[in-house]
Amino acid sequence: MKKFLGFILLTFFSTSIWAVENRSFGEGAKMDKLIAISKVLASPQKYLGKEITVVGTIVSVCSKRGCWMKLASDKKFQTLRIKVRDGDMVFPFNAKGQTAYATGQLKPIELTKEKAIAYLAHLAEEAKEEFDPTSVTGAMTIYQLSPTGVTIKYSGS
Amino acid sequence: MNHFENIKENDFRSELLTETSNPRKKPNGRIRKMVRSLHRDIGYFCIGMTIVFAVSGLAVNHIDDWNPNYEVTRQSKAISISSELKQSEQLNSILLEQLGLDLKVRAEFWESENRFKLFAEADITVEVDFKNQIAVIESISQRPILSAFNRLHLNEVNRAWVIFSDLFAILLLFLAFSSFFMLKGKNGVFSLKGLWVVAGVIVPAVFIAI
């Protein structure tokens, strides 16, 4: 009986719950709609309201709720944030460095001048760089992807 | 000694004795017995799920105070990388050597001119600040049992699990409502003991009201 119980527990904890493989969230990503992040961010207005798929290395993930992750662009120093409503998808915190495909719609976030200063100051603080608030001259718009499907391709532990 | 003398009128065993002595059982008694048996067996069945949801509920309730899924350790180390080395193709291997790490690199990312990230196997990330010549080694390990419980609690597994947890919710409702028919008399829900039910309803109601 003890052996049987042990086997059941071993099977339970070693199968779907722990499996490290390609993981899909929501509907999974649609690979036929792939567009480079640099292209999207170069002319975001062109992609608003359209379903697109982006790909990139996961460079950071929300550590608590897994409600967002940042994908590295094909262009140096550039990232795109993938954001879901809390609980809709939970991106694994230990997926950093893996490649993710995300399908969804690009959403603009309008920032007033004050909010833009706060946002850029926060980014500078994160990057431990100096920030000059006077460099912000007016309101700005940032973009993030609201996904319906995400696929993470694991390249090994 | 007469065993019958030790069983008082309101003791549930008195009902069993009545059933034994009287072959024509009252329908109410049969239903109550059936409800009690179902309550007991379903209660046993729900123990596993209750543990999963209760433990995970405690863990997730305090998500702002700690990370219930992962244990994260961060260690800062001084490095010595010149501007020339920064551009070198050997950068990764030199960095790992200086940090005493022997790991296979998964990916790398330049956050800015002076900020660089290396993602290595075993869920290790190295964040490098070239300006201050500091590297932070971040190591992530999954909390084995707790993260599995949390995945189940937050319905991150699959559709079948959602159906099963719906069933669990229905069983909990059965356990709640069947408790009304478990006992009668001075310990029944329609006696003073029913105040416990009222109290249990008032507590969440107060939280909604305030």
Side-chain angles (χ1 to χ4, degrees), chain B residues 192-204:
Chain B
L192 274 177
K193 297 286 180 188
L195 289 175
W196 285 110
V197 179
V198 177
V201 173
I202 285 174
V203 172

Side-chain angles (χ1 to χ4, degrees), chain B residues 82-131:
Chain B
S82 65
S83 301
E84 293 75 40
L85 266 179
K86 228 170 87 176
Q87 314 299 331
S88 162
E89 283 185 3
Q90 307 301 313
L91 175 64
N92 292 356
S93 55
I94 293 167
L95 258 174
L96 291 174
E97 195 186 322
Q98 285 193 11
L99 297 169
L101 298 172
D102 183 20
L103 296 166
K104 195 177 154 194
V105 174
R106 269 184 200 163
E108 58 180 60
F109 174 64
W110 282 95
E111 209 166 53
S112 67
E113 285 292 352
N114 282 311
R115 306 273 306 170
F116 178 66
K117 282 185 178 179
L118 262 188
F119 304 100
E121 60 185 358
D123 295 336
I124 287 176
T125 300
V126 180
E127 296 176 8
V128 187
D129 177 352
F130 288 111
K131 194 176 163 189

Side-chain angles (χ1 to χ4, degrees), chain A residues 1-41:
Chain A
M1 184 62 188
K2 277 182 184 172
K3 279 182 182 173
F4 177 70
L5 195 64
F7 174 76
I8 295 289
L9 286 172
L10 191 69
T11 309
F12 179 73
F13 286 111
S14 63
T15 55
S16 61
I17 291 180
W18 296 110
V20 177
E21 53 195 20
N22 293 350
R23 271 187 71 185
S24 286
F25 302 82
E27 302 163 356
K30 294 174 184 168
M31 303 302 181
D32 57 330
K33 304 209 170 198
L34 207 56
I35 300 165
I37 290 176
S38 61
K39 208 174 161 185
V40 173
L41 292 179

Side-chain angles (χ1 to χ4, degrees), chain A residues 12 21 32 52 57 62 113 154 156:
Chain A
F12 179 73
E21 53 195 20
D32 57 330
I52 56 169
T57 300
C62 169
K113 187 181 171 186
Y154 282 85

Side-chain angles (χ1 to χ4, degrees), chain A residues 51-75:
Chain A
E51 190 178 58
I52 56 169
T53 299
V54 292
V55 60
T57 300
I58 302 169
V59 294
S60 51
V61 183
C62 169
S63 63
K64 295 285 175 71
R65 292 178 170 83
C67 62
W68 61 260
M69 62 181 174
K70 278 184 187 170
L71 300 190
S73 166
D74 46 307
K75 187 179 167 186

Side-chain angles (χ1 to χ4, degrees), chain A residues 12-13 16-19 23 25 57-60 63-65 71-73 75-79 87 90-98 126-130 154-157, chain B residues 63-70 72 106-107 109-115 117 119-123 125 127 129 131-132 138 140 142-145 147-149 151-152 156-157:
Chain A
F12 179 73
F13 286 111
S16 61
I17 291 180
W18 296 110
R23 271 187 71 185
F25 302 82
T57 300
I58 302 169
V59 294
S60 51
S63 63
K64 295 285 175 71
R65 292 178 170 83
L71 300 190
S73 166
K75 187 179 167 186
K76 213 173 178 182
F77 310 145
Q78 193 178 52
T79 57
V90 181
F91 304 127
F93 185 52
N94 59 351
K96 286 192 279 189
Q98 306 290 2
E126 266 190 345
K128 293 184 173 55
E129 284 173 356
E130 284 173 19
Y154 282 85
S155 60
S157 62
Chain B
I63 201 162
D64 289 329
D65 306 318
W66 75 315
N67 192 323
N69 291 311
Y70 302 97
V72 183
R106 269 184 200 163
F109 174 64
W110 282 95
E111 209 166 53
S112 67
E113 285 292 352
N114 282 311
R115 306 273 306 170
K117 282 185 178 179
F119 304 100
E121 60 185 358
D123 295 336
T125 300
E127 296 176 8
D129 177 352
K131 194 176 163 189
N132 296 307
E138 181 191 76
I140 303 168
Q142 206 161 18
R143 299 183 194 277
I145 305 290
S147 63
F149 280 15
R151 283 193 67 193
L152 294 174
E156 291 173 41
V157 187

